[in-house]
Amino acid sequence: MGIASEALKDFKGFTMKNIPSVEPLSPGHRACQGCVEILALRLALKAIGTNVIVASATGCMEIVTSPYPQTAWRVPWIHVAFENAAAVISGVESAYKVLARKGRISPEDKVVFLGYGGDGGTADIGLQALSGALERGHDIVYICLDNEAYMNTGIQRSSSTPYGAMTTTSPPGKKSIGQTTWKKNVPAIAAAHDIPYVATASPAYPLDLMNKVKKAAMVPGPAYVHIFSVCPTGWRHPTNIAIEVAKMAVATNVFPLYEVIDGKWILSRKNPKPKPVVDYLKMQRRFAHLTEEEIEKIQARVNAEWEALLERCGEKKEPAPEGAEPSGE
Amino acid sequence: MGRRVGMEVSIAAAEAVALIDVDVVAAYPITPQTHIVEHLSELVANGHLDAEFVPVESEHSAMSVCVGAAAAGARTFTSTSAQGYALMVEICYIASSMRLPIVMVMANRAMSAPISIWNDHADMMLARDTGWIQTVAENGQEVVDLLIHAYRVAEDHRVLLPVIVNLDGFILSHVIEPIELPSKEEVQKYLPPYKPALRLDPKNPVTMGPVGVPEIYTEAKKAQDEALKNSKKVIIEAWEEFAKHFGRTYRPVETYKCEDAEVILLLMGSIAETAMRAVDAMRARGKKVGLARIRLFRPFPVEELVSTLKNARTVAVIDRALGFNGHVGPVCAEVKSMLFDHGLTPYVWNYIAGLGGRDVTVENFIEMVDMVEAKAAKKEPMGYEIINVRE
Ligand SMILES: Cc1ncc(C[n+]2csc(CCOP(=O)(O)OP(=O)(O)O)c2C)c(N)n1
Ligand code: SF4
């Protein structure tokens, strides 16, 4: 049995009945209305509880939670820079390890070491620090809050911005369709480090998200959770449909939910009847300029990626049984 | 009891870090500091030092790990040079602003391009405005002693600032010298365990590194500036205590035959030993020459330098880096502005010497003194000159 499977063998998930009432990330922060990134962070923290130390990358979630002298954090939190949350939390974890060994802190209660960053801070500028931290095997949880662009600096493209999306540095025009490259697959990059636990999650499926974060916190060694973090401000859609947008991303297979436990890929949701991708794209103005041809191209890419994922998960290509849902729902 | 050893200075630096009993070492190789982290990895591997050795993937992460570890309450060490420092400098500003007592050895090396692994002070100058305390060693004994001193200063609650101990790459880092290594007990007596003022602890949550809105940023910076200025008295006090414990005396500026000197050579680092021989040679010829060496570069030792230079008619400041401002090197610029503030008007000429490992010889120093006297006599406009350039 692998490290993660061993640690998770008696795993008990959250249910609607026992969602923790604790709020380590308090209300009263300054995120935009309808921000799903802050919701993702809140749910992740609820799943972990208060015995945690958090290292934040620069980005929306840092700015909106910590304008001095206010703080939305009820747990110890440190922000250092844009690209180094993974390295900072590695340092914190190393310190705890040696201080416990030397008897300078009590080793009893297991502290969770959580680093998080946006997709820019994870997929681009912070990828090196993340890779280093995963490779060295620190007992940390790293969460990427993927809102598919650099939102804090005003909606610039990242390597996690999907093909065709409009951002302020991938504007559509006579000679461009917007973002010209396909989204970088960071969860697969994380999994390629052979770490015990990798998962994708979405706040549209809050129990699934919380259970995955809880698992990430339980496994020894590095764990990576990639969370789809809808941003009405950057994606250009009404704030009240943010969760519907997130649901549609899963329903169309644009953002599939899965886990990689000890290297074994497992679908969280089999999605027998995927909706057409256009249903997802048309909800958001960042895709409003796309032609039918481009939309077909995106659909083809989504199909291909889904097939590849099914194969990785060892799933047959026939439709899965009705009603397969993410765990805990 | 301490022991006298013959040891490569880098190895001695690592041994000192072990005596200091650091908790976390973040390590990334770069010549000429590599022997330090290599030897530390051995000390950890063979159980001589109980520390977490974090072999990071870059210097940027080395400093990031140090910040995380120090914030969590661990005594922390790293070491670098030149390009490595340039990669970590972003986080170095943050480490001092967050008041984390990290200690780092910088084995000074020239900055690329052209790539050069050899010694000058360009990297030290890059560190100049980051808010770290900086000391500069002349020899191996000083490296060991300044390291022990660095932690005592950094962790003092009246200071809480990170410290760089500078040592000349190769010229000092790679030579074997006789060194007195104190015992662990002696070090422990001098250096109490690190007690962080604040630490990341779930039992007592704090927010570290928040957003500094315009209403508070200036105040935060003023507080940091004052902390650095105020550190000087603690630095001196810690040296006085050091003398009591270990018998070796240190001060911010070291002087040699300056009392009656008409010409003073002013410099930093290991070339002082060569300059001293030049001073002896010139004194033997009846020339009133003295030597002043800056040991404490940050905070800048204004009072000590003023009292050293106040009677000199002529000063030759030797920089080992360029300032690229077209009129003076970086250390000389600070010396001149300080003299101006104190109404002192000696003739000051600036020599840029020893770039990228170029030798600076006894003869060079003698020539510098001769040339600066001639310039002063002719009342030439003050300026700078790169010496030993092959035309
Ligand atoms: C070294 C560095 N480069 C650039 C910046 C400016 N910057 C701050 S946040 C940010 C973008 C953050 O984007 P992302 O990581 O996707 O997080 P989000 O704000 O979208 O949550 C940038 C470019 C910085 N702080 N540091
Ligand atoms: S810009 Fe987007 S991610 Fe940032 S706070 Fe607003 S909604 Fe959230």
Side-chain angles (χ1 to χ4, degrees):
Chain A
M1 204 185 269
I3 299 173
S5 325
E6 177 70 37
L8 298 175
K9 67 180 187 299
D10 303 317
F11 177 77
K12 283 200 189 54
F14 296 108
T15 66
M16 285 316 250
K17 290 206 184 91
N18 69 1
I19 293 182
S21 57
V22 60
E23 300 284 3
L25 173 62
S26 78
H29 53 72
R30 299 179 181 194
C32 310
Q33 248 186 42
C35 176
V36 174
E37 186 154 287
I38 197 87
L39 176 61
L41 199 51
R42 174 184 163 214
L43 292 171
L45 263 303
K46 279 172 88 72
I48 294 174
T50 53
N51 209 10
V52 65
I53 296 174
V54 187
S56 172
T58 313
C60 276
M61 293 306 100
E62 166 256 338
I63 297 285
V64 305
T65 60
S66 80
Y68 185 87
Q70 297 166 336
T71 178
W73 292 92
R74 290 170 173 156
V75 288
W77 179 90
I78 181 168
H79 160 256
V80 181
F82 183 22
E83 62 281 38
N84 67 349
V88 172
I89 204 66
S90 301
V92 174
E93 184 256 7
S94 300
Y96 264 74
K97 220 190 277 171
V98 60
L99 294 181
R101 190 164 71 228
K102 289 181 171 179
R104 302 231 299 273
I105 55 173
S106 84
E108 294 108 58
D109 19 65
K110 187 183 172 301
V111 178
V112 177
F113 303 101
L114 171 68
Y116 72 82
D119 48 298
T122 304
D124 296 343
I125 197 168
L127 190 62
Q128 174 183 305
L130 174 63
S131 177
L134 298 183
E135 173 275 323
R136 289 190 302 270
H138 295 277
D139 188 8
I140 58 169
V141 179
Y142 187 92
I143 292 180
C144 173
L145 299 162
D146 183 6
N147 58 17
E148 302 194 325
Y150 295 8
M151 295 310 176
N152 181 49
T153 36
I155 326 171
Q156 294 85 25
R157 62 87 76 181
S158 76
S159 62
S160 194
T161 301
Y163 177 86
M166 170 191 73
T167 73
T168 56
T169 51
S170 64
K174 239 189 277 166
K175 298 197 170 167
S176 176
I177 46 97
Q179 173 87 340
T180 54
T181 55
W182 300 97
K183 187 180 175 79
K184 192 189 271 184
N185 190 345
V186 186
I189 294 171
H193 287 75
D194 271 338
I195 57 174
Y197 188 79
V198 174
T200 65
S202 165
Y205 299 91
L207 290 176
D208 181 60
L209 183 152
M210 290 176 67
N211 286 331
K212 284 170 171 168
V213 171
K214 186 174 174 188
K215 287 181 190 175
M218 282 171 69
V219 299
Y224 176 86
V225 184
H226 194 99
I227 307 185
F228 193 72
S229 303
V230 178
C231 166
T233 309
W235 298 11
R236 308 280 182 205
H237 58 73
T239 54
N240 63 326
I241 65 161
I243 293 297
E244 278 152 56
V245 170
K247 279 219 164 99
M248 193 59 90
V250 176
T252 53
N253 288 341
V254 164
F255 190 86
L257 301 178
Y258 57 88
E259 294 173 292
V260 187
I261 302 178
D262 293 323
K264 193 171 179 302
W265 292 61
I266 305 152
L267 269 188
S268 310
R269 184 189 170 88
K270 299 195 177 165
N271 219 8
K273 290 194 200 99
K275 295 211 161 101
V277 170
V278 66
D279 290 1
Y280 170 69
L281 301 178
K282 73 182 181 205
M283 297 172 98
Q284 312 162 53
R285 266 210 290 131
R286 64 175 171 157
F287 297 114
H289 58 282
L290 292 182
T291 60
E292 238 164 76
E293 239 179 318
E294 293 295 349
I295 292 172
E296 267 169 39
K297 209 163 140 188
I298 296 171
Q299 179 71 62
R301 174 83 179 197
V302 168
N303 293 348
E305 283 185 350
W306 176 252
E307 293 303 325
L309 179 63
L310 286 183
E311 200 150 320
R312 270 177 164 162
C313 296
E315 296 283 342
K316 296 217 174 59
K317 290 181 185 172
E318 292 99 57
E322 278 299 320
E325 283 287 283
S327 59
E329 275 218 332
Chain B
M1 274 303 283
R3 59 195 169 112
R4 274 186 81 72
V5 294
M7 202 177 254
E8 185 189 306
V9 172
S10 295
I11 306 299
E15 290 283 338
V17 172
L19 293 172
I20 289 159
D21 194 25
V22 304
D23 303 311
V24 175
V25 175
Y28 200 78
I30 182 169
T31 306
Q33 88 47 60
T34 313
H35 289 181
I36 300 175
V37 291
E38 277 177 349
H39 191 60
L40 275 166
S41 75
E42 277 172 34
L43 293 172
V44 172
N46 65 25
H48 279 303
L49 170 62
D50 184 7
E52 279 299 301
F53 186 83
V54 191
V56 283
E57 84 298 337
S58 72
E59 288 86 352
H60 195 282
S61 285
M63 190 43 61
S64 305
V65 162
C66 288
V67 167
R75 184 174 278 172
T76 307
F77 177 81
T78 193
S79 169
T80 195
S81 301
Q83 305 309 117
Y85 183 71
L87 189 55
M88 58 167 71
V89 73
E90 181 205 14
I91 310 305
C92 291
Y93 277 89
I94 298 171
S96 60
S97 306
M98 291 177 83
R99 309 285 301 274
L100 296 170
I102 298 157
V103 173
M104 163 156 74
V105 166
M106 185 128 85
N108 302 117
R109 159 179 162 179
M111 296 294 302
S112 295
I115 190 165
S116 162
I117 59 171
W118 294 278
N119 168 252
D120 69 30
H121 285 176
D123 51 6
M124 197 199 301
M125 293 306 129
L126 178 58
R128 179 170 62 129
D129 301 337
T130 56
W132 284 51
I133 292 168
Q134 286 200 67
T135 54
V136 190
E138 183 185 54
N139 54 38
Q141 187 67 55
E142 254 187 61
V143 172
V144 168
D145 292 353
L146 291 181
L147 262 167
I148 298 167
H149 171 259
Y151 281 95
R152 167 117 175 193
V153 170
E155 293 170 1
D156 190 306
H157 281 203
R158 294 167 293 170
V159 177
L160 291 175
L161 284 170
V163 182
I164 294 173
V165 176
N166 288 285
L167 72 113
D168 284 315
F170 288 118
I171 298 174
L172 189 50
S173 62
H174 283 58
V175 296
I176 294 174
E177 290 194 354
I179 290 167
E180 193 167 305
L181 278 182
S183 71
K184 207 161 192 161
E185 295 68 46
E186 286 167 338
V187 174
Q188 271 168 6
K189 264 190 230 146
Y190 174 70
L191 183 64
Y194 172 34
K195 287 213 180 60
L198 279 179
R199 62 183 291 273
L200 294 168
D201 175 9
K203 290 183 200 86
N204 182 24
V206 286
T207 289
M208 290 189 185
V211 176
V213 291
E215 288 72 26
I216 62 98
Y217 184 84
T218 307
E219 286 68 22
K221 286 289 136 180
K222 180 162 191 269
Q224 187 187 350
D225 186 46
E226 276 171 7
L228 188 65
K229 280 197 280 189
N230 294 339
S231 72
K232 198 170 125 191
K233 66 171 183 310
V234 182
I235 292 167
I236 292 169
E237 187 186 299
W239 270 330
E240 286 163 0
E241 280 296 308
F242 192 93
K244 282 186 210 147
H245 279 79
F246 302 99
R248 288 180 291 277
T249 310
Y250 292 108
R251 49 183 84 83
V253 175
E254 207 57 63
T255 56
Y256 183 63
K257 304 192 176 170
C258 280
E259 295 72 24
D260 61 339
E262 288 167 1
V263 186
I264 292 182
L265 287 165
L266 177 61
L267 45 74
M268 295 198 290
S270 60
I271 58 166
E273 297 199 337
T274 315
M276 219 179 275
R277 287 184 26 221
V279 168
D280 288 342
M282 287 182 281
R283 283 270 171 185
R285 280 178 14 209
K287 257 190 184 198
K288 288 191 171 168
V289 182
L291 169 67
R293 172 166 68 91
I294 298 174
R295 180 183 282 121
L296 177 65
F297 181 49
R298 279 289 181 276
F300 202 61
V302 174
E303 294 79 7
E304 291 79 1
L305 281 173
V306 166
S307 78
T308 304
L309 301 180
K310 66 176 183 290
N311 296 322
R313 268 192 283 136
T314 311
V315 181
V317 181
I318 293 133
D319 259 295
R320 283 194 284 157
L322 279 161
F324 294 115
N325 55 17
H327 79 107
V328 73
V331 176
C332 189
E334 302 207 11
V335 170
K336 279 185 171 176
S337 74
M338 175 199 82
L339 292 170
F340 183 90
D341 288 348
H342 290 79
L344 297 174
T345 54
Y347 185 83
V348 182
W349 187 262
N350 184 203
Y351 292 103
I352 314 284
L355 296 186
R358 182 66 52 86
D359 244 2
V360 192
T361 61
V362 173
E363 292 69 39
N364 288 148
F365 286 113
I366 294 174
E367 276 166 36
M368 287 183 214
V369 171
D370 290 344
M371 287 191 301
V372 78
E373 284 189 314
K375 282 176 195 297
K378 279 191 278 175
K379 295 201 164 64
E380 266 185 39
M382 296 185 209
Y384 77 101
E385 173 182 359
I386 306 178
I387 66 147
N388 273 352
V389 183
R390 288 198 315 271
E391 305 285 0

